[in-house]
Amino acid sequence: MAGFDGFSLYPITPALTTYALDMDAMTRASVSQLLARMEGSSAPPALRIIQGRPIEGESVKPLI
């Protein structure tokens, strides 16, 4: 079992493995695109890949 966003509402045992998003980078990219639109940019929406990172818990075992 794995989670997403590096967030847990409740302490879970075993600790849940999750994937944490870089919320600061997502916010900067979103605001940048929004401001460009507000200033009249007609560029098409851009696909941006923002890296996250896995947070290994105890809910996923190694495959090898």
Side-chain angles (χ1 to χ4, degrees):
M1 179 184 297
F4 188 73
D5 204 14
F7 181 74
S8 176
L9 290 175
Y10 306 101
I12 298 173
T13 303
L16 190 62
T17 296
T18 65
Y19 190 80
L21 301 173
D22 186 343
M23 298 302 284
D24 291 337
M26 289 176 61
T27 300
R28 286 191 301 273
S30 299
V31 169
S32 174
Q33 191 164 3
L34 175 62
L35 292 174
R37 291 281 179 177
M38 291 173 66
E39 293 171 354
S41 172
S42 60
L47 173 65
R48 297 179 191 241
I49 298 173
I50 298 173
Q51 298 296 318
R53 65 182 177 85
I55 300 174
E56 187 176 334
E58 299 162 343
S59 65
V60 177
K61 69 178 185 174
L63 296 176
I64 297 177

